[in-house]
């Protein structure tokens, strides 16, 4: 099995389905009622169910998905979301992403130790938990994964309040099927920091299955759901009958997703640059720009068979370009097919 379209396209479809269910099953949303939040590894979305249809609330850029990026400035201020994602030229150690993967984990977790080697920002040991550590020069600040995750939830809450012209206190939030009790509690803790009351945490595959049956709950159905997101993947078989949903079987991996594909493409690009030029790759200076370009190329491969990654001024007066084909990208997708088959 090969993945014919990049992960972002699949993630977008799943996100819309999940949000549709999340808000609809808790009652019609007016002001001061319930919103649905899909808090993903790479992106976060917020939606409501009104007048018999799902409304995904756009951010200030008009996009229905907001990147889960946080950028700390030299003054100690924190920029989050789309603007943090778009800004370049900053020290990569002050731009934070993939925080969902750290929720509910301890410092000695093998995954955390492996992650330390792949992210540009610093992680610190605090009470056997991984904290983000940002050095601003004149001071060092530390944040738990829950505290930074709360920033994204606050942003979604504010988007909904502006859209609905009222106060929002309650939310339904989706989580990967294979999130354990500690990880689910961490999501609740982040929500509490954001002053959101979690009415319910719903497994993403179950929510997606329910979203497909909002208007048809009479017939019995067996639904296969493949939820391949930015940081997790779940494959579930869900039985639906008379409005009830039961997960018959679920397999998943909370450490595998679209971000892993990005990392593999990133490694290939670095190797190609070193092989071609014989020069040292300037990680710190262009790291975030290249990661953005790789994400953009991955999306482009949904509709074209090849695309170019262009890096201007990789060194002063030196540009670099690299062609990424869909076939090349699909080679990275085979690991998902192996996972599902297993």
């Amino acid at each position: 099995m090969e993945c014919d379209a990049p992960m972002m396209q699949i993630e977008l479809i799943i996100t819309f389905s999940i949000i549709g269910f999340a808000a609809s099953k808790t009652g019609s949303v007016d002001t001061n009622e319930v919103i649905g939040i899909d808090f993903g590894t790479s992106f976060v979305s917020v939606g409501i169910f009104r007048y018999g249809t799902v409304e995904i609330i756009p951010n200030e850029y008009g996009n229905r998905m907001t990147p889960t990026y946080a950028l700390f400035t030299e003054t100690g201020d924190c920029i989050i979301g789309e603007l943090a994602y778009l800004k370049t030229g900053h020290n990569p150690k002050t731009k934070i992403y993939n925080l969902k993967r750290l929720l509910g984990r301890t410092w000695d977790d093998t995954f955390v130790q492996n992650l330390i080697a792949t992210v540009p920002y610093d992680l610190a040991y605090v009470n056997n938990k991984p904290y983000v550590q940002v050095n601003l020069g004149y001071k060092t600040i530390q944040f738990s994964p829950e505290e930074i995750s709360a920033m994204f939830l606050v942003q979604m809450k504010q988007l909904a309040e502006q859209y609905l012209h009222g106060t929002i206190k309650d939310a339904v939030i989706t989580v990967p099927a294979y999130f354990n009790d500690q990880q689910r509690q961490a999501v609740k803790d982040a929500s509490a920091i954001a002053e959101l009351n979690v009415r319910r945490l719903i497994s993403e595959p179950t929510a997606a299955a329910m979203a497909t049956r909002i208007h048809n709950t009479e017939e019995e159905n067996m639904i296969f759901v493949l939820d391949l997101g930015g940081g997790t993947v779940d494959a579930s078989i869900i039985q639906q009958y008379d409005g009830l949903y039961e997960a018959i079987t679920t397999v998943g991996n909370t450490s595998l997703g679209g971000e892993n594909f990005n990392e593999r493409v990133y490694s290939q690009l670095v190797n190609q640059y070193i092989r071609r030029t014989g020069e040292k790759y300037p990680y710190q200076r262009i790291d975030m720009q290249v990661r953005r370009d790789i994400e953009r190329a991955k999306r482009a491969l949904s509709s074209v068979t090849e695309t170019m990654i262009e890096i201007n001024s990789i060194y002063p007066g030196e540009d670099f370009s690299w062609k990424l084909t869909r076939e090349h990208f699909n080679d990275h997708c085979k690991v998902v097919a192996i996972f599902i088959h297993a």
Side-chain angles (χ1 to χ4, degrees):
M1 172 182 175
E2 290 192 351
C3 178
D4 293 326
M7 301 307 103
M8 271 305 308
Q9 186 177 16
I10 300 172
E11 187 176 340
L12 181 62
I13 295 170
I14 293 294
T15 295
F16 273 47
S17 297
I18 288 171
I19 292 298
F21 162 73
S24 69
K25 301 302 284 187
T26 54
S28 62
V29 178
D30 197 350
T31 56
N32 198 28
E33 291 205 24
V34 184
I35 57 175
I37 297 177
D38 175 32
F39 179 34
T41 304
S42 305
F43 294 89
V44 59
S45 297
V46 59
I48 60 173
F49 187 82
R50 296 197 302 179
Y51 316 123
T53 188
V54 176
E55 297 182 27
I56 310 299
I57 301 172
N59 62 22
E60 65 271 29
Y61 289 85
N63 297 322
R64 290 180 171 85
M65 298 194 305
T66 300
T68 50
Y69 275 66
L71 173 66
F72 290 91
T73 67
E74 294 179 355
T75 60
D77 296 326
C78 184
I79 302 170
I80 61 172
E82 196 95 31
L83 185 57
Y85 178 73
L86 293 172
K87 276 188 171 292
T88 60
H90 288 262
N91 183 348
K93 286 182 174 291
T94 65
K95 185 174 281 193
I96 315 301
Y97 55 94
N98 285 359
L99 258 295
K100 181 181 176 182
R101 289 182 154 187
L102 293 174
L103 288 172
R105 295 185 184 272
T106 59
W107 176 261
D108 53 8
D109 188 312
T110 301
F111 175 79
V112 173
Q113 293 304 307
N114 291 337
L115 187 68
I116 291 173
T118 63
V119 295
Y121 53 86
D122 294 327
L123 295 175
Y125 176 97
V126 179
N127 298 325
N128 200 34
K129 287 183 60 177
Y131 271 52
V132 171
Q133 180 167 289
V134 181
N135 187 350
L136 300 176
Y138 60 94
K139 68 175 180 178
T140 298
I141 52 178
Q142 294 178 333
F143 294 91
S144 69
E146 291 83 356
E147 288 173 322
I148 294 183
S149 296
M151 298 178 188
F152 303 122
L153 296 178
V154 167
Q155 187 179 37
M156 294 301 101
K157 179 175 181 284
Q158 291 174 344
L159 283 176
E161 289 177 336
Q162 292 168 8
Y163 189 78
L164 298 171
H165 306 290
T167 301
I168 296 295
K169 296 180 180 179
D170 298 325
V172 173
I173 302 178
T174 58
V175 294
Y178 258 53
F179 254 27
N180 59 31
D181 290 343
Q182 289 77 21
Q183 290 169 309
R184 290 168 187 262
Q185 183 58 51
V187 174
K188 292 181 180 179
D189 293 341
S191 302
I193 296 171
E195 297 185 351
L196 275 172
N197 174 45
V198 178
R199 294 278 291 269
R200 189 175 177 186
L201 293 180
I202 304 179
S203 294
E204 291 165 357
T206 302
M210 297 177 85
T212 67
R213 300 295 171 182
I214 288 176
H215 302 295
N216 179 18
T217 60
E218 299 301 324
E219 299 179 1
E220 183 173 0
N221 292 280
M222 298 289 286
I223 306 168
F224 173 74
V225 179
L226 173 61
D227 181 6
L228 181 51
T232 62
V233 58
D234 296 309
S236 305
I237 297 176
I238 296 171
Q239 184 176 34
Q240 177 264 319
Y241 180 73
D242 195 24
L244 300 177
Y245 293 79
E246 179 183 1
I248 302 301
T249 184
T250 297
V251 294
N253 190 327
T254 58
S255 305
L256 175 64
E259 291 293 339
N260 298 92
F261 290 90
N262 288 2
E263 285 297 330
R264 297 184 76 172
V265 173
Y266 188 92
S267 296
Q268 287 292 319
L269 184 148
V270 171
N271 291 338
Q272 283 290 325
Y273 176 79
I274 295 174
R275 187 178 299 117
R276 279 196 218 170
T277 67
E279 298 178 354
K280 183 178 179 181
Y281 183 80
Y283 283 96
Q284 181 162 323
R285 193 167 59 82
I286 64 167
D287 179 79
M288 296 312 304
Q289 174 194 339
V290 174
R291 291 180 186 276
R292 277 177 48 195
D293 290 342
I294 288 173
E295 177 67 29
R296 203 158 33 229
K298 185 174 70 172
R299 298 189 196 189
L301 290 179
S302 295
S303 55
V304 299
T305 57
E306 62 181 47
T307 186
M308 296 296 295
I309 298 177
E310 307 275 357
I311 307 173
N312 297 324
S313 300
I314 193 167
Y315 278 107
E318 178 185 342
D319 299 331
F320 179 76
S321 63
W322 183 54
K323 182 170 70 174
L324 179 64
T325 67
R326 187 184 295 178
E327 180 181 7
H328 185 193
F329 185 84
N330 282 347
D331 286 339
H332 298 298
C333 294
K334 289 179 181 178
V335 67
V336 177
I338 294 170
F339 156 72
I340 294 171
H341 179 72

